[in-house]
């Protein structure tokens, strides 16, 4: 029999350490295991074919632990998507922060981080494909993250002495341009994923740089 992290006869202990691990830590470990399993299942068979049983088998957990953490497979999808979205933003932030001070260098660093992230196909499918059109609640999660990605792109244009948020009209322009750039990168990234990464990463970065850099330069008037 396949060994599981939590077997059918393992008691669900609340408020007491089990095996030297606090219950909160064990719950967090199980949640992380379910998110990793969700990534693999959603990223292979797709969200609409995913089942709690398949996810629990992948996570090596009894299904009661699934329902202790999530109300449904859709709730797990949202959590899985949110985790990957936050991971990508963190990786892009670290890459751009470490880049040289020029706008071009920051854009290149961010694009490289984006395309490196997409090299993990299951995470990329969750981020770019599986989360779309599921329900209004999941759509709202997706839209919130698009706005955050847009803000992150626009932040790269904040050159010294160039305030970009002086008034509401300018902030609206930034929001719309940021969303437009996120939409372009999302479509390019999805196409790259679905063609099995046909084009070299450098070519992807070089062509996307033209779109992002051209838009930001036009906004800055440089």
């Amino acid at each position: 029999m396949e060994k599981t992290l939590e077997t059918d006869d393992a008691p669900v202990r609340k408020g007491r350490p089990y095996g030297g691990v606090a219950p909160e830590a064990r719950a967090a470990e199980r949640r992380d295991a379910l998110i990793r399993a969700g990534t693999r299942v959603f990223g292979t068979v797709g969200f609409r074919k995913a089942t709690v049983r398949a996810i629990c088998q992948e996570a090596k957990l009894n299904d009661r632990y699934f329902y202790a953490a999530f109300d449904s497979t859709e709730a797990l999808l949202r959590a899985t998507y949110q985790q990957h979205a936050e991971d990508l933003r963190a990786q892009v932030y670290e890459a751009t922060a470490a880049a040289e001070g020029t706008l071009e260098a920051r854009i290149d660093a961010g694009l490289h981080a984006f395309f490196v992230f997409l090299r993990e196909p299951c995470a990329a499918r969750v981020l770019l494909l599986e989360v779309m059109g599921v329900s209004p609640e999941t759509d709202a999660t997706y839209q919130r993250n698009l706005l955050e990605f847009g803000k992150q792109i626009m932040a790269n244009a904040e050159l010294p002495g160039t305030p970009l948020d002086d008034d509401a009209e300018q902030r609206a322009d930034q929001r719309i341009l940021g969303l437009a750039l996120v939409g372009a990168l999302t479509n390019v990234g999805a196409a790259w994923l679905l063609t099995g990464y046909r084009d070299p990463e450098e070519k992807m970065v070089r062509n996307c740089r033209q779109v992002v850099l051209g838009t930001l330069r036009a906004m800055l008037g440089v």
Side-chain angles (χ1 to χ4, degrees), residues 88-111:
L88 175 57
R89 283 200 296 274
Q91 290 173 31
V92 169
Y93 176 81
E94 290 174 5
T96 56
E100 297 177 7
T102 65
L103 178 59
E104 292 87 343
R106 293 197 299 275
I107 289 172
D108 272 12
L111 288 171

Side-chain angles (χ1 to χ4, degrees), residues 173-189:
D173 287 344
Q174 290 181 58
R175 173 175 50 80
I176 294 167
L177 285 171
L179 283 171
L181 290 173
V182 171
L185 292 175
T186 297
N187 285 330
V188 169

Side-chain angles (χ1 to χ4, degrees), residues 15-31:
R16 298 190 311 178
Y18 178 68
V21 181
E24 295 82 3
R26 291 177 63 80
E29 289 174 0
R30 290 192 291 265
R31 188 178 189 277

Side-chain angles (χ1 to χ4, degrees), residues 120-131:
E120 173 44 59
C122 288
R125 287 193 70 92
V126 170
L127 189 72
L128 301 177
L129 300 172
E130 295 302 321
V131 77

